[in-house]
Amino acid sequence: MEFKTLLFGKQGPVGILTINQPETLNALNTSVLKELGQAFDKFAEDAELRVIVLTGAGRSFVAGADIAEMSGLDAEAGKIFGQLGASVFRKIELSEKIVIAAVNGYALGGGCELALACDIRMASEKAKFAQPETGLGIVPGFSGTQRLPRIIGVGKAKELIYTGRVIDAVEACRIGLVNSVTEPGMLLSEAVKMAEQIASRSPLAVQYAKEAINRGIETDIDTGIAIENGLFGLCFATEEQKQKMRAFLNK
């Protein structure tokens, strides 16, 4: 896959996607957002690819949406730009592939929102997180007001969005924004290690588990349980389930 703003490499079932605009701290402009969407369209066609590690080049994961581009927008253009980012991030969230954000540095504004759209977030000790939009006269525009409360709770999300306060990786881990914190030099290898562990599991079971969680979290618990029951039943229609359970019993 060849892109102007992204780099992609693949190691068997694990792909590493890097936002490669270090001169702008990987700021999200229209071009980057469109290429991210195109990348995940291509990933959907790759049956071998199971897990994607998403990271940023240089000292930033993503420092935010491109303020230079946003500064000249009117209300309608602003809405369209927000819809673009939101639709791309929703595509990432709903991808059948598992997506791990390896947050190597600044994850501010749109960068934090991008990480929120991923399944798992792993952070370098140098990572910084914030939703600073209110200081720029706007609100988070790429679904941050919706995902952040779902992940860390309404009260803490309101605090971070209202104040724009920057938090470090340790605090982000404490409040449940990230899954783990590691040394900067070990971040990518640890993310790949987790990706390989996930890739070693049943492909369909992992896919169904993601679907059950994503759909269930957006509804009441009884509907969520029904979703899980349906997907649980579908697993028994697969030859993989038969083989793995026979292998377990034969042990």
Side-chain angles (χ1 to χ4, degrees):
M1 299 182 190
E2 293 186 4
F3 302 101
K4 293 181 179 179
T5 66
L6 310 174
L7 297 175
F8 180 70
K10 186 176 169 186
Q11 305 171 14
V14 176
I16 301 175
L17 181 64
T18 305
I19 301 174
N20 187 38
Q21 298 285 278
E23 67 280 0
T24 63
L25 299 180
N26 302 319
L28 297 173
N29 58 27
T30 297
S31 296
V32 176
L33 289 169
K34 286 183 175 180
E35 287 207 335
L36 277 172
Q38 292 164 5
F40 275 85
D41 286 338
K42 291 180 181 294
F43 297 156
E45 301 169 359
D46 188 340
E48 182 189 32
L49 184 62
R50 298 277 313 284
V51 187
I52 297 153
V53 175
L54 176 60
T55 192
R59 58 192 179 95
S60 177
F61 176 69
V62 167
D66 190 334
I67 297 174
E69 181 174 355
M70 289 192 295
S71 64
L73 302 180
D74 60 17
E76 183 60 25
K79 181 179 179 180
I80 291 170
F81 185 62
Q83 288 173 333
L84 172 62
S87 66
V88 171
F89 290 4
R90 186 65 166 158
K91 183 179 293 187
I92 293 170
E93 184 174 48
L94 295 179
S95 171
E96 292 182 354
K97 316 302 180 183
I98 304 304
V99 187
I100 300 173
V103 184
N104 50 303
Y106 297 115
L108 311 178
C112 186
E113 290 170 298
L114 175 57
L116 292 172
C118 299
D119 294 286
I120 295 168
R121 287 159 293 282
M122 302 176 70
S124 155
E125 292 170 339
K126 293 184 177 180
K128 303 288 184 183
F129 298 84
Q131 296 290 165
E133 288 88 350
T134 55
L136 296 170
I138 59 175
V139 301
F142 297 161
S143 310
T145 62
Q146 302 307 302
R147 289 197 182 91
L148 192 61
R150 285 170 165 81
I151 290 172
I152 67 171
V154 173
K156 183 57 72 172
K158 285 182 175 180
E159 174 193 332
L160 294 181
I161 291 172
Y162 295 170
T163 66
R165 184 167 66 88
V166 179
I167 62 174
D168 61 20
V170 172
E171 183 172 357
C173 191
R174 181 178 62 80
I175 65 176
L177 178 56
V178 301
N179 297 70
S180 62
V181 180
T182 189
E183 295 178 11
M186 296 295 293
L187 176 63
L188 196 57
S189 62
E190 288 297 312
V192 169
K193 185 185 299 183
M194 179 176 286
E196 290 172 341
Q197 184 177 6
I198 294 169
S200 72
R201 312 298 286 183
S202 164
L204 201 59
V206 172
Q207 178 186 324
Y208 283 170
K210 176 171 180 172
E211 182 179 349
I213 293 168
N214 283 355
R215 290 174 60 194
I217 202 72
E218 296 177 354
T219 188
D220 63 274
I221 190 167
D222 291 314
T223 302
I225 289 170
I227 291 168
E228 180 188 278
N229 289 161
L231 292 167
F232 179 69
L234 287 177
C235 291
F236 289 85
T238 67
E239 182 58 31
E240 186 172 30
Q241 172 267 327
K242 303 289 188 289
Q243 292 175 353
K244 287 186 177 295
M245 288 195 176
R246 281 197 298 267
F248 179 84
L249 292 173
N250 289 336
K251 289 181 181 178

